[in-house]
Amino acid sequence: MKPCEEEEEQGGAAAAGGGGDPWKECAELAVQLALRAGQIIRKALTEEKQVSTKTSAADLVTETDHFVENLIISVLKEKFPSHRFIAEESTAAGSKCVLTDSPTWIIDPVDGTCNFVHRFPTVAVSIGFAVNRELAQQKQAFDQPPPPTLAYACHIVAIFRSHMRTASTPSSDYISKALILTEIGPKRDPATLKLFLGNIERLLKAQAHGVRVIGSSTLALCHLAAGAADAYYQFGLHCWDLAAATVIIREAGGTVIDTSGGPLDLMSCRVIAAGTREMAMFIAQEIQTIHYRRDDEN
Amino acid sequence: MKPCEEEEEQGGAAAAGGGGDPWKECAELAVQLALRAGQIIRKALTEEKQVSTKTSAADLVTETDHFVENLIISVLKEKFPSHRFIAEESTAAGSKCVLTDSPTWIIDPVDGTCNFVHRFPTVAVSIGFAVNRELEFGVIYHCTEERLYTGRRGQGAFCNDKRLQVSKETDISKALILTEIGPKRDPATLKLFLGNIERLLKAQAHGVRVIGSSTLALCHLAAGAADAYYQFGLHCWDLAAATVIIREAGGTVIDTSGGPLDLMSCRVIAAGTREMAMFIAQEIQTIHYRRDDEN
């Protein structure tokens, strides 16, 4: 008897209409898998690693990325044979990043692989889930090493909501006094670096308190959800970095949009997230675009 | 009976000659104070804060910085009345940053105050100690992750009882580099700051990280979790403890010119290897800051 499978046929409407959460079993399994993957990653962190590169010399992958992804997908496939998967290493191996109406797991097995390779302890596993192309479920992103200080689960989201700072400052002050997070992204050509650094320059000139680069987009987005930062923006991240974090941030009262100021485009490889819409829009106006191929392009 | 006071008269030579560590009691008290300060900071992190600015709009201070510094200094002053102190908020209040031969405590009560104000959980307390102008031990405590970093000259460096060993990387194209923005935000400074990052990324560094706490970034280096750190605009109270910890972990701490570390110069390069440190010294351009020991 698989409650998730049964509710799958009912589709999204049943979740809204009936009692109970049709994806609850899926969410609980996601938590178990994230914890198990976290344990594997924590152990592997201190060991020797075989490192390869993907799209650039800074875009790293290890056997742990592959192992964790295979583990998560194989467990989920066995339990939910009709579900679909979008995952980082499968995509690198040639799978397409296509979001259909089917229940779809969107997985980053090791977010912060460069950190992982260097034993820099900011590393997460991220498991997102979408149904009818909607990110319908809280999913978990976990921190290394113990204790899991950034362990987010459904019941904790309510606490984060109460900690989210409300927009009490006038719009002209939004960037000044803001702590802003970002990541470099995989492209390192001179033009990209100029745009990347130029964006930081703009935000610091607008009197942001500071800019932080921690090496894990999912954990940076979690800091935002927790109210520990005011905004995040990036070019060059992927749908598997965004899927879980978007739900977490929105459930915490935050805004997640496209860098143009329009609605989030999960496959666009770019994002702005902020505690308030005003902050998000201000950043959209300030930053210049760095072009990346979409996840759903060939 | 105060072992530290008694050994003080013997001076540094006795430490080398006789058995036992003359500053052991001081080091142990530093650990206790760091843990206690960390507890206070952890609690204050989640509360409302009154925030002021110092040298720039990005150079923040709170009542917690003052409270923790006063606590540490008052306990140490009572136990070691002849010792001297260099500490961040006392200096902001007008005390001079002068290192004499006297046993001197060098204290940053809250490193990462901007993070602290924002509840960004990368915050530390740093307690260094020098005698005869030589750095003897250092304690840095990561307040939210409860990681205690210690280093004692000649006795190694540890994080929560695990021995620390720096990275052996010499090649910039495999390096993870940490830095901090510093308090100055004028256009010329920003251009130099970002230009330095640009150079290192063009040299194919794996990545650059900015975590908002210089002492904790230096601890990552000591732990082998990063290959290099450089900064303009930090202070002697950020460097004192971390320098001992890194050197005891096998690392190199030098001036940005490539010469020996100048504790009051407000600038540093630290790396797992000398080769890496020297490469960075050649790549980066200087951002000028007033020295800590200037008026």
Side-chain angles (χ1 to χ4, degrees):
Chain A
M1 182 57 225
K2 290 183 181 147
C4 266
E5 234 185 347
E6 176 189 68
E7 281 133 359
E8 221 176 283
E9 295 160 9
Q10 299 171 19
D21 176 354
W23 309 115
K24 186 177 174 203
E25 192 192 5
C26 296
E28 285 166 359
L29 183 51
V31 170
Q32 295 311 312
L33 285 168
L35 290 170
R36 195 164 151 200
Q39 200 176 24
I40 292 166
I41 292 166
R42 240 185 339 268
K43 182 170 179 298
L45 192 71
T46 57
E47 291 168 0
E48 279 299 311
K49 299 169 187 62
Q50 292 184 18
V51 186
S52 310
T53 59
K54 294 193 289 187
T55 66
S56 76
D59 190 8
L60 308 179
V61 63
T62 71
E63 67 276 19
T64 304
D65 299 64
H66 293 294
F67 181 83
V68 166
E69 184 166 311
N70 292 343
L71 171 69
I72 294 173
I73 291 179
S74 60
V75 168
L76 293 173
K77 259 189 184 162
E78 200 198 349
K79 200 138 170 69
F80 310 112
S82 65
H83 288 193
R84 299 212 178 185
F85 297 87
I86 296 173
E88 177 159 20
E89 305 318 328
S90 312
T91 303
S95 292
K96 299 253 190 303
C97 271
V98 178
L99 196 55
T100 66
D101 288 348
S102 299
T104 306
W105 298 85
I106 307 169
I107 300 161
D108 191 345
V110 180
D111 181 47
T113 294
C114 180
N115 286 350
F116 175 71
V117 165
H118 286 271
R119 300 191 177 114
F120 190 80
T122 304
V123 182
V125 52
S126 181
I127 303 175
F129 185 74
V131 182
N132 298 325
R133 294 168 221 252
E134 195 170 347
L135 297 167
Q137 190 77 320
Q138 286 87 307
K139 288 307 176 186
Q140 332 307 331
F142 285 86
D143 191 15
Q144 312 299 321
T149 53
L150 293 181
Y152 299 93
C154 306
H155 60 284
I156 296 177
V157 166
I159 299 170
F160 294 146
R161 191 176 288 156
S162 69
H163 277 232
M164 284 295 293
R165 265 180 266 150
T166 53
S168 56
T169 50
S171 56
S172 62
D173 271 345
Y174 270 131
I175 288 289
S176 76
K177 301 187 177 52
L179 184 65
I180 302 174
L181 274 47
T182 190
E183 293 297 326
I184 305 172
K187 289 209 298 184
R188 302 296 170 87
D189 57 281
T192 295
L193 293 182
K194 279 246 178 297
L195 288 168
F196 170 74
L197 296 168
N199 285 339
I200 292 180
E201 187 178 22
R202 278 174 163 64
L203 295 172
L204 289 174
K205 280 183 165 173
Q207 309 269 311
H209 269 170
V211 173
R212 302 285 177 262
V213 177
I214 67 171
S216 161
S217 52
T218 62
L219 289 176
L221 290 162
C222 285
H223 280 308
L224 183 76
D230 302 288
Y232 180 88
Y233 70 96
Q234 193 190 337
F235 299 94
L237 77 176
H238 297 280
C239 57
W240 47 79
D241 298 314
L242 285 170
T246 296
V247 179
I248 293 168
I249 291 168
R250 286 175 175 165
E251 287 300 315
T255 294
V256 186
I257 60 171
D258 182 66
T259 51
S260 65
L264 174 71
D265 179 353
L266 194 65
M267 298 293 171
S268 66
C269 293
R270 59 196 212 182
V271 71
I272 293 173
T276 63
R277 186 163 186 81
E278 290 83 349
M279 176 74 75
M281 294 308 295
F282 191 100
I283 293 189
Q285 285 155 30
E286 281 297 314
I287 62 179
Q288 293 187 302
T289 301
I290 301 171
H291 288 284
Y292 276 89
R293 279 180 57 221
R294 296 172 59 85
D295 280 333
D296 53 8
E297 260 173 53
N298 277 338
Chain B
M1 183 57 225
K2 290 185 180 144
C4 266
E5 231 183 352
E6 175 187 68
E7 279 131 2
E8 222 176 281
E9 295 161 5
Q10 299 171 19
D21 177 354
W23 310 116
K24 185 175 176 210
E25 192 193 4
C26 296
E28 284 167 357
L29 184 51
V31 168
Q32 295 312 312
L33 285 168
L35 293 171
R36 194 163 152 202
Q39 199 177 23
I40 292 166
I41 292 164
R42 229 177 359 258
K43 183 169 178 298
L45 191 71
T46 57
E47 292 169 357
E48 279 297 311
K49 300 169 186 63
Q50 292 186 17
V51 186
S52 311
T53 59
K54 293 191 289 187
T55 66
S56 76
D59 190 8
L60 308 180
V61 63
T62 72
E63 67 275 19
T64 303
D65 299 64
H66 293 294
F67 182 82
V68 167
E69 185 168 308
N70 291 342
L71 171 68
I72 293 174
I73 292 180
S74 60
V75 169
L76 292 173
K77 258 188 184 162
E78 201 200 348
K79 198 137 172 70
F80 309 113
S82 65
H83 288 193
R84 301 214 178 183
F85 298 88
I86 296 172
E88 177 160 18
E89 306 316 330
S90 312
T91 303
S95 292
K96 296 253 189 302
C97 269
V98 177
L99 194 57
T100 66
D101 288 348
S102 299
T104 306
W105 298 85
I106 307 169
I107 300 161
D108 190 346
V110 179
D111 181 47
T113 294
C114 181
N115 286 350
F116 175 72
V117 166
H118 286 270
R119 297 191 181 113
F120 191 79
T122 305
V123 181
V125 53
S126 180
I127 301 176
F129 185 75
V131 183
N132 296 325
R133 294 168 221 250
E134 190 163 5
L135 297 168
E136 288 292 339
F137 67 75
V139 173
I140 297 172
Y141 183 51
H142 191 315
C143 303
T144 59
E145 294 185 17
E146 302 185 50
R147 286 200 295 259
L148 181 73
Y149 295 88
T150 58
R152 175 74 186 95
R153 190 167 67 87
Q155 296 176 31
F158 296 84
C159 176
N160 290 354
D161 300 325
K162 181 170 168 266
R163 184 128 195 174
L164 296 179
Q165 169 68 48
V166 290
S167 146
K168 295 184 167 52
E169 190 56 70
T170 57
D171 183 353
I172 190 76
S173 74
K174 294 184 174 51
L176 183 65
I177 303 175
L178 274 46
T179 189
E180 292 297 327
I181 306 174
K184 290 209 295 183
R185 302 297 171 87
D186 57 281
T189 294
L190 293 182
K191 279 245 178 297
L192 287 168
F193 170 73
L194 296 168
N196 285 339
I197 292 180
E198 187 177 23
R199 281 178 164 64
L200 295 172
L201 290 175
K202 280 183 165 172
Q204 310 268 311
H206 274 170
V208 174
R209 303 284 178 262
V210 177
I211 67 171
S213 162
S214 51
T215 62
L216 290 177
L218 289 161
C219 285
H220 279 310
L221 184 79
D227 304 288
Y229 180 87
Y230 70 96
Q231 194 191 335
F232 299 94
L234 78 175
H235 298 279
C236 57
W237 49 78
D238 298 314
L239 285 171
T243 296
V244 178
I245 293 167
I246 290 168
R247 285 174 175 167
E248 286 300 314
T252 295
V253 186
I254 59 171
D255 182 66
T256 51
S257 64
L261 174 70
D262 179 352
L263 194 65
M264 299 292 171
S265 66
C266 293
R267 60 196 210 183
V268 70
I269 293 172
T273 62
R274 189 159 185 85
E275 290 87 342
M276 180 71 77
M278 294 308 294
F279 182 94
I280 293 188
Q282 285 155 28
E283 282 298 311
I284 61 178
Q285 292 187 305
T286 302
I287 301 170
H288 290 284
Y289 275 88
R290 280 181 56 224
R291 296 172 58 85
D292 280 333
D293 53 8
E294 260 173 52
N295 276 338

